Amino acid sequence: MRLLGCVLLAVLLTACRVEKDQEEPKMDMQQAGQRAEAILDGTMAAIQPPVEWVRGSTSESPCSTGLNEPTGTTTVMRGRNILTVISEHRRGELLEMVQRYWEDQGFRDFDIDHDKKMPQIRATAADGLTVILDVGNIGNVYIHAGFGCAQDSEMTYPEGTPGRPGGPKKVERIPREHSPYWSVTGP
């Protein structure tokens, strides 16, 4: 339920309202998907020691004028699900590591929810890409990247994308891999 809420929140936060005098989209859907994939791959590589992860859900949502009229633009979201069990003891360290990486990549406007059980980090880059890290109610960690209102275009997906040709039919969400570092429960 939290994942669905977070995806909907991400779409609402990144969705745009197009008006006559608004500037043209900065990229098309293919470029937005590639940009999201690149930042997600970099984020996963920045987590050290490494964690096990899989591609998460993707979504595309048409943007509208607010009157349900199409604009020729679409919000593009990509995701990663961490399958390594991240203990509550190590959770803060993971969030700090990811935030530092995002800051190094030029993300600003951080919105951080320090909830002890289900923290969240959200940030935006100058080009409009939004990144979100969510911790679910069982300690599962999701990372999403999305771009609001990219110019409509054809789009490809990396191999292994859930729900796409060659990818799994279902998205893995439950952490199951134990790490001597990330899964430790005490100091």
Side-chain angles (χ1 to χ4, degrees), residues 93-151:
E93 185 178 347
L94 176 76
L95 272 65
E96 288 173 10
M97 196 176 289
V98 168
Q99 182 178 347
R100 274 193 311 273
Y101 174 74
W102 288 349
E103 287 170 347
D104 290 345
Q105 299 305 304
F107 285 85
R108 301 288 179 261
D109 301 324
F110 280 84
D111 181 17
I112 302 171
D113 180 349
H114 294 285
D115 184 276
K116 184 168 174 61
K117 183 96 171 134
M118 296 189 307
Q120 180 188 67
I121 301 173
R122 181 181 180 278
T124 305
D127 65 1
L129 184 72
T130 299
V131 289
I132 301 169
L133 181 149
D134 272 309
V135 177
N137 62 352
I138 61 169
N140 41 344
V141 180
Y142 307 104
I143 302 174
H144 292 94
F147 188 84
C149 298
Q151 185 64 43

Side-chain angles (χ1 to χ4, degrees), residues 14-178:
T14 59
C16 64
R17 186 179 230 183
V18 176
E19 298 175 7
K20 289 181 183 177
D21 58 345
Q22 186 174 1
E23 66 183 65
E24 290 294 313
K26 296 178 182 173
M27 59 183 76
D28 65 25
M29 290 171 60
Q30 178 68 25
Q31 293 166 324
Q34 289 171 333
R35 171 89 164 98
E37 292 290 344
I39 199 67
L40 290 169
D41 287 345
T43 301
M44 301 317 297
I47 299 172
Q48 295 298 319
V51 293
E52 295 290 325
W53 59 271
V54 293
R55 293 186 189 286
S57 57
T58 64
S59 69
E60 294 80 38
S61 177
C63 299
S64 77
T65 62
L67 299 173
N68 221 14
E69 298 169 341
T71 63
T73 60
T74 299
T75 297
V76 176
M77 293 288 290
R78 303 288 176 93
R80 299 289 186 272
N81 300 339
I82 295 179
L83 297 181
T84 299
V85 175
I86 309 294
S87 70
E88 192 171 330
H89 177 72
R90 296 279 191 216
R91 197 174 293 155
E93 185 178 347
L94 176 76
L95 272 65
E96 288 173 10
M97 196 176 289
V98 168
Q99 182 178 347
R100 274 193 311 273
Y101 174 74
W102 288 349
E103 287 170 347
D104 290 345
Q105 299 305 304
F107 285 85
R108 301 288 179 261
D109 301 324
F110 280 84
D111 181 17
I112 302 171
D113 180 349
H114 294 285
D115 184 276
K116 184 168 174 61
K117 183 96 171 134
M118 296 189 307
Q120 180 188 67
I121 301 173
R122 181 181 180 278
T124 305
D127 65 1
L129 184 72
T130 299
V131 289
I132 301 169
L133 181 149
D134 272 309
V135 177
N137 62 352
I138 61 169
N140 41 344
V141 180
Y142 307 104
I143 302 174
H144 292 94
F147 188 84
C149 298
Q151 185 64 43
D152 285 351
S153 70
E154 292 294 317
M155 192 165 49
T156 60
Y157 299 87
E159 187 176 322
T161 300
R164 305 295 173 184
K169 295 201 184 305
K170 294 176 75 176
V171 178
E172 289 186 75
R173 294 187 170 94
I174 308 299
R176 56 178 159 65
E177 303 294 329
H178 289 273

